[in-house]
Amino acid sequence: MKKIFMRLAMVFMCMAVFIAGMAQLPVSSAAQQQKATAAMATDMGAPVVDQAKLLSKEQAEKLTAKIKEIEERHQVKIGIYTLQNLPNGMTAGKLANNTLDKYYANGRNGSIVFLIAMGSRDWYISTDNTMRQRIVDGVGIDGLKGMFLEDLSDGNYAESFNNFAAGVDKYLTYYEEEGEPYDPSKEFSILAAVVAVLLALFIGWAFREYLISCMSNVAPAVEASAYLKQGSFTLTQSHDNFLYTTVVRETKSKNNDSSSSSSDSSHGGGGGKF
């Protein structure tokens, strides 16, 4: 009888240890989640927050140093934020605006956030109203897009992010020197275009004259009758017959741009797919 009681006691003891261990699992899991969330919150606000793991450690460090130098020189705040998937019900533009407001809103001369969502292949640039005066919606954001989008689509993430940072530096430098936002169209010179057109016409005319001079058996005809062999054609009568007219109408397709905007009274910017 004593042995039976001993065995029952051992069974109850093992069950108690097992239940206690199972009870600790959610606590441990919750603790790990809280730790990960705290680490993520600590990273937010840094020049580079690469949650999607697109950059190596060395690439992230070099990009961070470059952005900090640009921030110091222009007294702005710049953030590059990558993540795998957007939260449910959240657009890239809205998340970029929220991220800027919460973590990057202390730039004296403006703040800008470049967000990448790998799962949906979204990119978005969010600016506050101060930065919006320096990098304007439309031509400003489109100019930046032209600097980084091709590398971003090709998977050259380090090159793409460095080009973005260089573009922001270029736009801010222009604003500080000229007192107005940079507009790529202003680089177009009408005088240079006129000179190029005149030069092309002259080269074309000179080449045409050279070819004509090489054609020894060809001479211009003074009258159209010179091209007709005498006696080979006789016109006896002529009249016109109208047969029918066919009209084809096609609906003009709308131009669907892949870019989008979440601009409001306190944010500028724009984005799209890559």
Side-chain angles (χ1 to χ4, degrees):
M1 193 72 177
K2 185 176 180 180
K3 291 183 179 180
I4 294 175
F5 282 121
M6 289 289 292
R7 290 176 181 175
L8 288 175
M10 290 294 293
V11 169
F12 284 126
M13 185 179 296
C14 291
M15 291 178 64
V17 171
F18 176 77
I19 293 173
M22 292 296 293
Q24 291 295 323
L25 287 178
V27 176
S28 177
S29 177
Q32 291 177 356
Q33 185 175 0
Q34 291 177 356
K35 185 177 179 181
T37 303
M40 184 184 301
T42 302
D43 291 338
M44 296 303 296
V48 180
V49 181
D50 185 24
Q51 294 180 7
K53 306 299 181 184
L54 304 180
L55 304 174
S56 67
K57 182 178 180 181
E58 182 180 1
Q59 289 172 336
E61 289 175 350
K62 289 182 178 180
L63 180 59
T64 297
K66 180 176 183 176
I67 292 177
K68 285 184 176 180
E69 190 273 330
I70 296 172
E71 289 180 330
E72 180 67 23
R73 182 148 38 88
H74 299 289
Q75 294 298 296
V76 297
K77 196 70 175 176
I78 303 171
I80 296 178
Y81 176 32
T82 76
L83 70 162
Q84 193 60 41
N85 296 302
L86 294 169
N88 291 334
M90 183 75 72
T91 65
K94 185 63 176 177
L95 180 59
N97 292 344
N98 292 347
T99 302
L100 185 148
D101 292 341
K102 189 172 183 179
Y103 301 106
Y104 298 91
N106 57 343
R108 191 177 76 179
N109 291 327
S111 300
I112 184 170
V113 167
F114 181 26
L115 179 140
I116 301 295
M118 292 302 297
S120 56
R121 306 289 290 181
D122 282 303
W123 67 269
Y124 197 91
I125 296 173
S126 175
T127 59
D128 63 7
N129 278 336
T130 305
M131 183 65 74
R132 198 178 194 175
Q133 299 174 9
R134 292 157 170 76
I135 303 178
V136 297
D137 299 347
V139 294
I141 299 299
D142 288 344
L144 280 180
K145 177 180 73 173
M147 298 178 190
F148 68 76
L149 188 58
E150 183 176 353
D151 283 316
L152 184 63
S153 300
D154 292 342
N156 302 322
Y157 302 116
E159 187 70 21
S160 177
F161 298 155
N162 275 281
N163 289 342
F164 165 77
V168 172
D169 183 29
K170 176 181 178 179
Y171 278 44
L172 295 178
T173 300
Y174 183 91
Y175 182 87
E176 292 164 3
E177 294 176 351
E178 304 297 333
E180 62 180 5
Y182 175 75
D183 185 350
S185 65
K186 293 182 179 179
E187 293 187 346
F188 178 77
S189 172
I190 296 179
L191 179 60
V194 171
V195 172
V197 170
L198 293 176
L199 184 60
L201 290 174
F202 173 76
I203 294 175
W205 173 81
F207 186 66
R208 174 181 176 275
E209 291 299 313
Y210 167 74
L211 292 178
I212 291 175
S213 66
C214 296
M215 301 167 65
S216 59
N217 62 338
V218 177
V222 179
E223 298 179 357
S225 60
Y227 295 97
L228 182 63
K229 184 178 181 181
Q230 297 299 324
S232 64
F233 174 75
T234 302
L235 181 64
T236 58
Q237 67 177 30
S238 64
H239 59 272
D240 296 327
N241 292 328
F242 176 77
L243 298 179
Y244 54 85
T245 299
T246 301
V247 179
V248 178
R249 292 184 175 91
E250 294 182 0
T251 304
K252 185 177 180 181
S253 61
K254 296 181 179 180
N255 183 20
N256 295 321
D257 192 354
S258 62
S259 62
S260 61
S261 176
S262 293
S263 300
D264 51 38
S265 60
S266 58
H267 298 94
K273 299 286 186 178
F274 66 92

